Amino acid sequence: MSIVITGATGQLGRHVISSLLRLDVQLPDLVAAGRNEDKLGALRELDLATVRVDYTDPATLDEAFAGADTVLLISSSEAGVRVPQHRNAVDAAVRAGVSRLVYTSALGADRGKLLLADEHLATEQAIADSGLPYTIVRNGWYTENFEPALRHAETTGVVLASAGDGRVASATREDYAEAIAAVLAQDGHAGQTYELSGDVAWSFDELAAALTEVLDREVTYRRLTPEQHLAELERTGVDESTARFLVALDANIEDGALDLVTGDLSRLLGRHTTPLVDALRAMR
């Protein structure tokens, strides 16, 4: 069994590789594919086979996927151009005749609530149209994405957000990676679409309470309007484009885009997802 991990130089990809090795997948059966040569070099030092890939360069994808049984397509980080990049990867997987393609999509992508969901849905459709056996893993939000909130709360005792009473069913990056590894290493997942999220959808008041416990100081949630939130982010040095994205994301959260709890993640893990307090404590 040969498994090609695209995006292997990113944090999720590296966690997937570690999880596969813990499942006794053998090093010779893994190929780490990524764009960053320096990070690929670090993986080679672990005796992993590596290959450089660029989603915009079909020739690199053909080289990476040649002889592969399974390909994990970790979604591109380049918003706005993901669809053609992903189509290049899907086409290369077809040419290589891979036995299964696994794609990391977005939680509730077909609910139409989440920013950039359209790009993920278009990729899912391209995969379905390809004729390849496939598995879709729709990843929810990483708890690690709230590390900036932890750092801010450490110094101010405040969580600032414009998410209202919205909830987030987050899990750790390692939780997601471990579940993806299980899908890659085991039979019986072909044709499945998994909605992966944490076992608990928490509110920002509950985030503040968890930070109170972790930081051993009182932390409160200050509800901002979108306009106040944008101004606060820009005041702290966040560039306008990123600030507008973060404010739009909070609007998505308020609208319920990240509160979906299905139990798919914990079932794949064979355990509960990492509790919010434990995940925050690990970031200190």
Side-chain angles (χ1 to χ4, degrees), residues 91-211:
D91 290 345
V94 171
R95 289 192 295 271
V98 304
S99 298
R100 184 169 49 131
L101 183 63
V102 178
Y103 173 61
T104 61
S105 186
L107 181 69
D110 56 353
R111 297 199 300 169
K113 295 183 177 183
L114 187 64
L115 284 168
L116 309 177
D118 286 351
E119 291 183 302
H120 290 290
L121 277 178
T123 301
E124 290 185 19
Q125 189 61 55
I127 293 170
D129 292 343
S130 73
L132 289 172
Y134 65 87
T135 306
I136 305 296
V137 287
R138 291 177 172 170
N139 286 354
W141 217 238
Y142 300 141
T143 308
E144 289 89 344
N145 290 342
F146 294 93
E147 184 171 356
L150 181 149
R151 300 301 169 210
H152 187 267
E154 275 183 320
T155 57
T156 66
V158 174
V159 171
L160 298 175
S162 53
D165 292 323
R167 291 179 171 271
V168 181
S170 71
T172 65
R173 188 175 280 107
E174 189 164 356
D175 285 341
Y176 291 111
E178 191 176 322
I180 292 167
V183 168
L184 292 169
Q186 300 167 358
D187 294 328
H189 300 289
Q192 298 296 314
T193 296
Y194 294 113
E195 300 279 7
L196 304 187
S197 60
D199 292 334
V200 175
W202 47 262
S203 69
F204 279 74
D205 284 318
E206 289 166 333
L207 173 62
L211 287 168

Side-chain angles (χ1 to χ4, degrees), residues 82-94:
R82 284 187 176 117
V83 176
Q85 289 181 341
H86 294 164
R87 282 180 177 149
N88 285 340
V90 173
D91 290 345
V94 171

Side-chain angles (χ1 to χ4, degrees), residues 12 41 85 97 113 116 145 156 191 217 234-235 258 267 269:
L12 178 63
Q85 289 181 341
K113 295 183 177 183
L116 309 177
N145 290 342
T156 66
R217 66 166 297 174
E234 292 181 333
R235 185 190 68 78
L258 293 175
R267 280 190 288 272
L269 292 173

Side-chain angles (χ1 to χ4, degrees), residues 3-4 6 65 68-73 93 98 100-103 184:
I3 303 173
V4 176
T6 71
F65 297 170
D69 294 313
T70 299
V71 169
L72 171 63
L73 174 57
V98 304
R100 184 169 49 131
L101 183 63
V102 178
Y103 173 61
L184 292 169

Side-chain angles (χ1 to χ4, degrees), residues 252-267:
N252 279 182
I253 292 172
E254 185 172 27
D255 194 35
L258 293 175
D259 65 0
L260 185 63
V261 176
T262 67
D264 283 354
L265 180 53
S266 55
R267 280 190 288 272

